[in-house]
Amino acid sequence: MAKIIAGVGSSHVPAIGAALDNGKTEEPYWKRVFSGFEKSKQWMAETKPDVAIVVYNDHASAFSVDLIPTFALGCAAEFPPADEGWGPRPVPVVKGHPALAAHIAQSVILDEFDLTIVNKMEVDHGLTVPMNLLFGQPKDEWPCPVIPLAVNVVMYPPPTGHRCFMLGKAIRKAVESYPEDLKVVIFGTGGLSHQISGPRAGLINSKWDKNFLDNLSKDPKKLTRIPHIDYMREAGAEGIEMVMWLIMRGALEDKVDEVYRFYTVPASNTAVGHIILENRRKAAAGKAKRAVAGKTRHKQAAARKSTQRKVSKGTR
Ligand code: DHB
Ligand code: FE
């Protein structure tokens, strides 16, 4: 059985990609940002997922404003980096996992989440920057296949936080009904607070961001009740990207272990937030054991009852 073992939240600022691609990671401004991901890269190298599901948003790269799907699942065999105006980023082509993606599409759509199935798509900084932050800068290929899930957060109305959270739960159910043993990590990306245009450009709200991260860890249901207007007011127009983190969180167990967190301000116009949440392996193993023990007890009780029935029939 496939299993989601952990969730990763990460911002996706395009200038982080430019700093990586242009060899600026050692400059003090950027070192402050990248140093926060050193432990995460180590965690990822040790965790070695078989597949990553990356929840991200496209910035009018694959989908122009002519067509904006609310939730679009990448079912293709590969996803080339998009040209965002400076040529495609020099990162490996992202390889997909068409079999698991098709299974997720079937399970989730039959669960009444109307995903758009995408069989050809380029991916922009929304996906490739978090990949770099967690997997480093591989030259030829990324260490695991990736299933992109693009979410509309660029044109009103985006999906609600609650809908995102519930989609996460449906994704978890889908993954757990896939027969092959696969370790899956799910990413929620974008945010945290930022606004890149208008009179409030440059807005950052660290208090809001930190509260969001605290609740993401301990009380995610509270976050599902936040209306769009609060994200916009408190975290800036682009702060709405944070709803994508709720898909990742919905795909995890209710109680998780926060194994790492990082927060720094700013990178370009954005507050960079990052978190790693693990499903509780011990609790899960204990639960499975209790379930097996429960079944055995149930079987034994049923056997006792059937013997008793036979005995009482015999004595009648
Ligand atoms: C910036 C952040 C984003 O999320 C984005 O998509 C584009 C730019 C920024 O901070 O510059
Ligand atoms: Fe963005």
Side-chain angles (χ1 to χ4, degrees):
M1 181 185 97
K3 189 149 181 42
I4 295 180
I5 54 165
V8 172
S10 165
S11 302
H12 68 209
V13 188
I16 293 179
L20 284 162
D21 301 345
N22 296 300
K24 297 191 176 201
T25 53
E26 290 303 312
E27 290 182 4
Y29 181 93
W30 289 113
K31 209 175 163 86
R32 169 180 52 83
V33 175
F34 291 110
S35 63
F37 289 84
E38 285 307 316
K39 283 209 174 85
S40 326
K41 282 193 284 185
Q42 207 181 320
W43 175 89
M44 192 57 100
E46 284 162 12
T47 302
K48 289 193 184 70
D50 298 306
V51 186
I53 298 173
V54 181
V55 181
Y56 79 108
N57 73 289
D58 178 72
H59 301 73
S61 307
F63 309 115
S64 77
V65 287
D66 290 347
L67 189 156
I68 304 202
T70 300
F71 297 117
L73 190 73
C75 297
E78 53 181 48
F79 306 94
D83 182 346
E84 298 179 58
W86 300 269
R89 288 195 60 213
V91 295
V93 166
V94 175
K95 296 280 160 64
H97 195 303
L100 178 58
H103 174 85
I104 292 173
Q106 172 166 320
S107 173
V108 166
I109 291 170
L110 296 183
D111 253 348
E112 303 182 343
F113 285 87
D114 309 316
L115 297 187
T116 299
I117 294 167
V118 189
N119 293 319
K120 189 169 184 219
M121 178 166 74
E122 292 178 351
V123 285
D124 70 12
H125 71 271
L127 185 131
T128 59
V129 165
M131 294 269 294
N132 282 134
L133 290 172
L134 273 293
F135 293 111
Q137 285 176 284
K139 260 178 64 186
D140 301 320
E141 56 180 33
W142 296 104
C144 69
V146 170
I147 300 178
L149 173 61
V151 180
N152 168 36
V153 289
V154 298
M155 184 176 276
Y156 190 82
T160 63
H162 180 253
R163 188 70 174 154
C164 288
F165 192 72
M166 296 312 286
L167 175 59
K169 285 187 181 288
I171 290 172
R172 175 177 168 191
K173 183 176 156 198
V175 169
E176 288 183 354
S177 63
Y178 190 71
E180 195 182 335
D181 277 336
L182 292 175
K183 271 195 293 183
V184 180
V185 167
I186 183 162
F187 283 54
T189 64
L192 296 182
S193 58
H194 63 304
Q195 167 132 0
I196 48 185
S197 60
R200 296 201 310 161
L203 178 144
I204 281 179
N205 185 344
S206 298
K207 198 170 162 220
W208 162 275
D209 290 339
K210 287 181 180 164
N211 193 40
F212 184 87
L213 293 174
D214 288 346
N215 282 326
L216 194 77
S217 223
K218 299 264 166 11
D219 192 3
K221 286 212 178 94
K222 209 181 212 173
L223 299 178
T224 66
R225 295 190 285 270
I226 300 175
H228 291 138
I229 193 69
D230 286 11
Y231 283 95
M232 308 279 281
R233 270 196 198 116
E234 298 289 337
E238 279 73 31
I240 192 64
E241 289 177 350
M242 291 156 87
V243 291
M244 294 186 286
W245 293 45
L246 294 180
I247 299 182
M248 171 272 275
R249 187 60 182 90
L252 301 178
E253 282 159 17
D254 291 348
K255 288 202 165 41
V256 291
D257 291 320
E258 179 177 331
V259 297
Y260 186 63
R261 186 192 292 203
F262 174 62
Y263 183 81
T264 188
V265 173
S268 186
N269 295 291
T270 304
V272 170
H274 170 43
I275 203 162
I276 301 179
L277 302 170
E278 283 184 0
N279 275 336
R280 294 190 171 166
R281 260 170 275 181
K282 274 190 216 130
K287 224 171 160 184
K289 251 191 204 164
R290 281 196 298 280
V292 171
K295 265 189 195 155
T296 313
R297 273 200 305 277
H298 186 75
K299 268 191 191 159
Q300 284 167 346
R304 262 199 314 275
K305 265 191 191 155
S306 122
T307 320
Q308 276 163 2
R309 268 199 305 276
K310 274 184 202 148
V311 171
S312 57
K313 256 189 196 165
T315 52
R316 232 183 271 152

